[in-house]
Amino acid sequence: MSRVIVVTGAGGPAGRAVVGKFAELGDTVIGVDKSGAEGCLAVDLLDRDAVRALAEGVRAEHGRVDGVVHLVGGWRGSKTFADTSLDDWDLLHDLLIRTLQHVSLEFEPLLRASGNGRFAIVSARAASKPTQGGAAYAAAKAAAEAWTLALADALKDTSSAAVVLVVNALVHDEMRAANPDKPYRTFTDVKDLATTIAGLWDEEPAAVNGRRIDLVP
């Protein structure tokens, strides 16, 4: 039976790769992106009422959710710690934390009811090894990880799981074409990310719940 998968941030390179992978597997994929990118539902994830309406709409149309892949991202940084702008923190808080809070809170009941659900985010090694110029980014990623692991604790007695996938940075074909001489040695290809996410259903929920899976080559 095909799964019902919600992908937020579906309009970006990682989102397109993940949507494509699940579609290739025959799953029903609901892509969500604030921009209203082609094939995506236009939803402002900073608006909790809109996210609640999204979850209710998916429940009404499909009866269940088997996976939520949250790929809303962003980066801001500075040269030194002293140069850190708290405006950057405000932006990253909204992108990396607040959207995650809204999506996870509204979809948790559907995941709890699922017979085999997964919730996944992409984090960065910077969360556990921040640089001085990346204070705001690393702190936001660390908070997002903590929030997701709290969701994992909430799901521990269910048939669903929440997982953190850790990368250094992501790379896609357009980046390689633009910089053909750059090796991207520590970058994770979005296609490999998509394959790993789809593979989360190959293991029992308890085996992956609360895990931080490192994908850095």
Side-chain angles (χ1 to χ4, degrees):
M1 183 172 65
S2 67
R3 295 166 292 197
V4 177
I5 309 293
V6 176
V7 180
T8 55
R16 292 194 299 272
V18 171
V19 167
K21 181 64 177 180
F22 282 112
E24 174 188 307
L25 294 171
D27 296 312
T28 297
V29 189
I30 299 105
V32 179
D33 196 274
K34 183 180 179 180
S35 69
E38 183 179 358
C40 295
L41 297 177
V43 180
D44 182 0
L45 300 181
L46 291 174
D47 181 344
R48 187 167 178 182
D49 288 339
V51 179
R52 181 177 299 116
L54 170 66
E56 291 174 349
V58 173
R59 186 204 304 267
E61 183 173 355
H62 301 284
R64 70 184 199 280
V65 165
D66 302 304
V68 178
V69 184
H70 187 66
L71 297 174
V72 178
W75 186 88
R76 290 291 187 280
S78 58
K79 289 185 177 180
T80 68
F81 182 80
D83 289 333
T84 298
S85 168
L86 293 182
D87 288 340
D88 289 346
W89 165 257
D90 291 341
L91 175 68
L92 292 170
H93 172 271
D94 281 350
L95 287 174
L96 305 182
I97 304 171
R98 186 65 76 197
T99 63
L100 168 64
Q101 291 172 328
H102 289 168
V103 170
S104 58
L105 287 168
E106 295 304 330
F107 278 92
E108 190 263 0
L110 282 164
L111 290 167
R112 177 173 291 278
S114 173
N116 191 23
R118 300 290 185 275
F119 185 96
I121 69 164
V122 176
S123 187
R125 278 194 174 175
S128 57
K129 193 174 181 181
T131 60
Q132 62 171 313
Y137 176 74
K141 281 293 190 183
E145 286 196 16
W147 187 271
T148 303
L149 296 178
L151 173 61
D153 186 57
L155 296 175
K156 66 183 178 183
D157 295 322
T158 74
S159 297
S160 292
V163 186
V164 176
L165 304 170
V166 181
V167 303
N168 180 45
L170 294 171
V171 63
H172 50 85
D173 289 344
E174 291 83 355
M175 290 172 62
R176 295 186 191 281
N179 295 280
D181 296 327
K182 186 171 181 176
Y184 295 105
R185 290 191 185 92
T186 64
F187 287 58
T188 301
D189 195 287
V190 294
K191 294 188 290 292
D192 295 329
L193 172 69
T195 297
T196 298
I197 291 173
L200 293 175
W201 280 260
D202 294 339
E203 299 186 66
E204 292 297 318
V208 294
N209 191 41
R211 284 182 59 190
R212 295 177 74 255
I213 302 174
D214 196 323
L215 300 182
V216 179

